[in-house]
Amino acid sequence: MRPSTFILLLAAALSSVAAGAEPPHPGARQVVIHSQGNDGPVSLASWWIGAGKNGRLPVIIALHGCGGLYGTAGNKQKVFSGRHAAMADLLQDAGYHVLWLDSFSSRGKQSICTEKFSRRDISVADRRADVHAALRWVAARPEVDAARIALLGWSNGGSTVLSSIDAGHTDVSSNTVRPAAAVAFYPGCTAFARDAGYRNATPLLILMGEKDDWTPPDACVALERKLDAASAGAPVALRLYPDSFHNFDAPGLPVRRRLDVPNGVRPGEGVTSGGNPAAREDAYRELFAFLKKHLEQP
């Protein structure tokens, strides 16, 4: 997409907010993050939700999956999806600022789930650049404690989390602003497990379902074992949930087969997606315990 198209998209998004359009979630305020990925410069119209407390507080940079940040049906296209809306409330209640980084809208996309990996024009590398721009942006805010930043991502956003803390990337090792914690829900681990040089520069928690046939858990098991054996990076923990598929933490999402997704364990045969309330409850307990451990006041 040409830079002029980016500008038009961003202008349209900002003008809708200026005209009094409702934000996608209560208390959300639109902000602009200037990123420089492989696809060129882009200004990301994203959302900031403050913790509502005084002092320099920890912040979570939240990264949506391949389906984007918003709902997909009817008027829900202008509000956070159910998972993101629920998590926004939980994080705010726990006393965290949250930057909901929207890597798609300003690039003219709503979702990339139905695109083959080989045809996607928004890469994990592009999104890693978005994350590093976001790290610099939040660190400069007076209400943020820059020593207490965490990354939280789902699926494609989870893969972006893994890429964003890879010590083998120069933009990771040279970045003066580094997250103190990283959490990835059902990321694609295959490329990282195969990369002999991959090392997580940040304490990492991976949460996924044992029956996930979209992003296979075996690759994440292999990644955890490799990182544990190397003992050269930051700590890593993996939690696998039985009877759980991709999107197991999405509230109210029934388990179903998605034949429109061309990727997965068996390309062309579809993938399984849907919620598991018991797994969601346990995973969120793990998530918040991990955040508390690594973002508590020094």
Side-chain angles (χ1 to χ4, degrees), residues 192-196 198-199 222-230:
F192 306 103
R194 292 175 178 172
D195 181 357
Y198 182 86
R199 296 290 182 272
L223 176 63
E224 181 201 27
R225 289 174 178 169
K226 182 185 78 169
L227 294 173
D228 281 344

Side-chain angles (χ1 to χ4, degrees), residues 150-187:
L151 306 181
L152 169 61
W154 293 263
S155 194
N156 184 264
S159 300
T160 302
V161 167
L162 298 184
S163 182
S164 299
I165 62 171
D166 182 358
H169 285 295
T170 302
D171 57 351
V172 174
S173 60
S174 64
N175 201 337
T176 57
V177 182
R178 300 184 182 182
V183 182
F185 277 85
Y186 32 87

Side-chain angles (χ1 to χ4, degrees), residues 166-274:
D166 182 358
H169 285 295
T170 302
D171 57 351
V172 174
S173 60
S174 64
N175 201 337
T176 57
V177 182
R178 300 184 182 182
V183 182
F185 277 85
Y186 32 87
C189 290
T190 301
F192 306 103
R194 292 175 178 172
D195 181 357
Y198 182 86
R199 296 290 182 272
N200 56 307
T202 298
L204 171 65
L205 173 64
I206 299 175
L207 302 157
M208 65 190 320
E210 285 187 347
K211 292 186 175 181
D212 197 319
D213 59 1
W214 194 337
T215 52
D218 289 351
C220 292
V221 171
L223 176 63
E224 181 201 27
R225 289 174 178 169
K226 182 185 78 169
L227 294 173
D228 281 344
S231 299
V236 58
L238 171 66
R239 301 289 182 266
L240 294 176
Y241 294 96
D243 299 318
S244 299
F245 299 93
H246 206 78
N247 289 320
F248 71 83
D249 66 316
L253 183 67
V255 175
R256 64 187 179 99
R257 194 75 177 162
R258 286 195 57 176
L259 297 176
D260 60 331
V261 176
N263 308 302
V265 176
R266 294 175 293 277
E269 297 182 21
V271 298
T272 312
S273 174

Side-chain angles (χ1 to χ4, degrees), residues 27-284:
R29 180 170 63 87
Q30 193 162 57
V31 298
V32 177
I33 308 298
H34 299 289
S35 178
Q36 177 73 51
N38 292 334
D39 58 350
V42 58
S43 297
L44 305 173
S46 298
W47 299 95
W48 173 264
I49 299 180
K53 298 180 180 179
N54 295 324
R56 294 171 65 84
L57 300 174
V59 62
I60 313 298
I61 298 175
L63 309 173
H64 58 74
C66 68
L69 185 53
Y70 310 102
T72 58
N75 62 2
K76 293 185 181 298
Q77 293 180 5
K78 296 182 180 180
V79 300
F80 284 177
S81 69
R83 174 178 53 224
H84 297 134
M87 183 56 70
D89 292 337
L90 290 172
L91 291 170
Q92 187 177 44
D93 289 345
Y96 299 117
H97 301 303
V98 190
L99 173 64
W100 291 90
L101 189 61
D102 183 356
S103 288
F104 286 1
S105 296
S106 297
R107 290 184 169 103
K109 297 277 188 176
Q110 180 178 355
S111 170
I112 60 172
C113 293
T114 59
E115 299 177 3
K116 290 184 178 181
F117 290 139
S118 60
R119 296 183 179 178
R120 290 181 177 178
D121 55 9
I122 301 176
S123 68
V124 167
D126 294 326
R127 297 197 67 188
R128 184 177 72 245
D130 297 348
V131 169
H132 291 300
L135 285 168
R136 292 187 293 271
W137 186 87
V138 297
R141 297 187 66 87
E143 68 267 50
V144 167
D145 182 347
R148 295 190 289 161
I149 303 173
L151 306 181
L152 169 61
W154 293 263
S155 194
N156 184 264
S159 300
T160 302
V161 167
L162 298 184
S163 182
S164 299
I165 62 171
D166 182 358
H169 285 295
T170 302
D171 57 351
V172 174
S173 60
S174 64
N175 201 337
T176 57
V177 182
R178 300 184 182 182
V183 182
F185 277 85
Y186 32 87
C189 290
T190 301
F192 306 103
R194 292 175 178 172
D195 181 357
Y198 182 86
R199 296 290 182 272
N200 56 307
T202 298
L204 171 65
L205 173 64
I206 299 175
L207 302 157
M208 65 190 320
E210 285 187 347
K211 292 186 175 181
D212 197 319
D213 59 1
W214 194 337
T215 52
D218 289 351
C220 292
V221 171
L223 176 63
E224 181 201 27
R225 289 174 178 169
K226 182 185 78 169
L227 294 173
D228 281 344
S231 299
V236 58
L238 171 66
R239 301 289 182 266
L240 294 176
Y241 294 96
D243 299 318
S244 299
F245 299 93
H246 206 78
N247 289 320
F248 71 83
D249 66 316
L253 183 67
V255 175
R256 64 187 179 99
R257 194 75 177 162
R258 286 195 57 176
L259 297 176
D260 60 331
V261 176
N263 308 302
V265 176
R266 294 175 293 277
E269 297 182 21
V271 298
T272 312
S273 174
N276 181 331
R280 176 178 184 262
E281 181 179 355
D282 190 77
Y284 282 13

